[in-house]
Amino acid sequence: MDFKGKVMRYIEERLSEDGALHFTLIDPDPLKMNVESSAKLARIAADCGTAAIMVGGSTAFGIIDDVVKTIKEHVPEIPVILFPGNVNGITRFSDAVFFMSLINSSDTYWIIEAQMLAAFNIKMCRIEPISLAYIIVEPGGTAGYIGHARVIPRNKPKIAAAFALAAEYIGYKMIYLEAGSGAESPIPPYFVRTVREAITRPLIVGGGIRKIEQAIEIVKSGADIIVQGTFIEREKEKSIRKLKKIIEGIKNAAHERKIKK
Ligand code: 1GP
C-alpha cells in the first residue's frame, strides 16, 4: 500500500476505529540487529496486529536505508515511520518521519538545530513529516543521556503536563512520553493520566512496557499509542502469542475507556 503523504491521516483513522494502537520500534543498531532480523521482527509484529513500524534509535547508524527498504518489502500493509536519533536517521525509503523535538532538553541542538539540519533532506526525500514533541521522563535511558534531557521526575507529572500543553499550543501534532528504551518500569498510570487530562492531541507512551497489564493500565489512563521495542526484540518468535494478547488488550482497554466516557 502507498502511504506517501497519508500517514497522519492513517493514524487518525485507525485511532478513531480502534481507540488505541500499538506501534513497534525497530532499532537498527548493527551491533544487535541486521537487515534480515529487522524485517523478520517487523513481519511478526504486523502479523500480531501492530499498526505501524517505527525505525530508529539513539545510536543507530549505517544500515538504515537497507533496513527500511527491506521492511517495506516484507510488510507492505502498514506504514514505516522514522524515529530518528539524529540527522543521520533519515531515509527516502520510509513513508513518514516523526519530526521530533526533545522539548525538555537543555541543549538547543536537540530542540531545533538537528531539525534545521535535517529539514531540507526530508523535503527532498518526499517523506511526510509528523511533528512530535518528545518528553523524556525519569530514568530516560540512552535517549535521555544523549539528548541532554532534564528528565522529568516520576513524582512530578504536572511538569510533563505543562510541557505537553505548551507543545500542543505551539502546534505539535503528537506528544510522546518516553521513559527510555529498556527502562525497568514504564511511565506510571497516574503520570500518563495527568498529561492526558491537559491535552487533546494523540498521546504516545513508550519505554519499559513488557506486560499486558502495564499496556492496559497505560491505555486506561489515556494513552493513544503504546510503543514496544525491547520486548519484541528480546522475545523474537516467542513473543507472537504474548504480543497478540497485548495488542488485543490495548484494543479492549480503549473500548472500555470509550464506554465509560
Ligand atoms: C523507546 O519508547 C521506546 O524509544 C520503546 O521502549 O524498548 O523499552 O520497549 P522499549
Side-chain angles (χ1 to χ4, degrees), residues 25 83 134 176 178 180-183 205-209 227-231:
L25 174 64
F83 182 62
Y134 194 45
Y176 193 132
E178 171 72 89
S181 185
V205 178
I209 303 170
V227 178
Q228 284 190 297
T230 307
F231 166 79

Side-chain angles (χ1 to χ4, degrees), residues 9-261:
R9 206 183 322 146
Y10 163 85
I11 294 172
E12 284 167 347
E13 280 171 10
R14 288 286 316 259
L15 279 176
S16 72
E17 278 162 27
D18 292 359
L21 302 173
H22 179 278
F23 284 9
T24 297
L25 174 64
I26 307 259
D27 181 355
D29 180 342
L31 299 176
K32 57 178 182 176
M33 297 275 257
N34 59 34
V35 173
E36 286 70 35
S37 58
S38 301
K40 205 168 164 194
L41 275 193
R43 188 61 261 162
I44 290 172
D47 289 339
C48 292
T50 203
I53 306 292
M54 291 161 53
V55 177
S58 305
T59 53
F61 50 91
I63 56 173
I64 185 107
D65 279 344
D66 288 343
V67 165
V68 172
K69 201 168 162 237
T70 312
I71 292 175
K72 282 300 302 170
E73 283 160 14
H74 285 74
V75 189
E77 73 274 29
I78 54 174
V80 174
I81 306 170
L82 297 173
F83 182 62
N86 209 331
V87 292
N88 56 355
I90 309 295
T91 168
R92 68 192 166 90
F93 296 109
S94 70
D95 299 302
V97 55
F98 279 140
F99 197 70
M100 46 206 280
S101 180
L102 173 40
I103 60 170
N104 62 321
S105 175
S106 58
D107 183 343
T108 52
Y109 177 81
W110 301 104
I111 300 172
I112 190 61
E113 289 164 23
Q115 296 75 0
M116 175 274 289
L117 292 169
F120 272 109
N121 189 18
I122 288 169
K123 192 178 171 79
M124 282 189 308
C125 288
R126 294 171 196 272
I127 47 181
E128 178 185 350
I130 298 172
S131 62
L132 181 148
Y134 194 45
I135 300 170
I136 303 192
V137 178
E138 204 175 37
T142 310
Y145 176 82
I146 304 253
H148 296 264
R150 292 173 64 218
V151 290
I152 298 174
R154 290 192 171 211
N155 62 351
K156 297 287 177 197
K158 275 193 187 154
I159 297 178
F163 265 112
L165 183 60
E168 178 165 317
Y169 286 164
I170 289 170
Y172 287 96
K173 290 204 178 112
M174 304 179 93
I175 314 289
Y176 193 132
L177 285 182
E178 171 72 89
S181 185
E184 221 161 274
S185 63
I187 295 174
Y190 66 86
F191 197 108
V192 174
R193 182 164 292 120
T194 306
V195 175
R196 168 79 284 156
E197 284 168 359
I199 59 165
T200 61
R201 298 306 305 168
L203 179 62
I204 308 177
V205 178
I209 303 170
R210 295 178 188 85
K211 297 183 183 151
I212 183 167
E213 299 78 22
Q214 295 169 328
I216 288 174
E217 280 311 308
I218 293 171
V219 170
K220 281 189 180 164
S221 307
D224 298 295
I225 297 170
I226 296 288
V227 178
Q228 284 190 297
T230 307
F231 166 79
I232 300 167
E233 244 171 50
R234 290 211 180 126
E235 300 271 320
K236 299 199 172 66
E237 283 85 357
K238 280 190 288 169
S239 73
I240 296 178
R241 260 190 46 233
K242 287 188 205 161
L243 186 56
K244 265 193 184 150
K245 286 215 162 119
I246 290 173
I247 294 173
E248 256 172 50
I250 289 171
K251 213 171 160 179
N252 293 339
H255 189 64
E256 268 178 44
R257 193 175 73 186
K258 204 172 172 186
I259 293 171
K260 271 193 187 161
K261 264 189 187 170

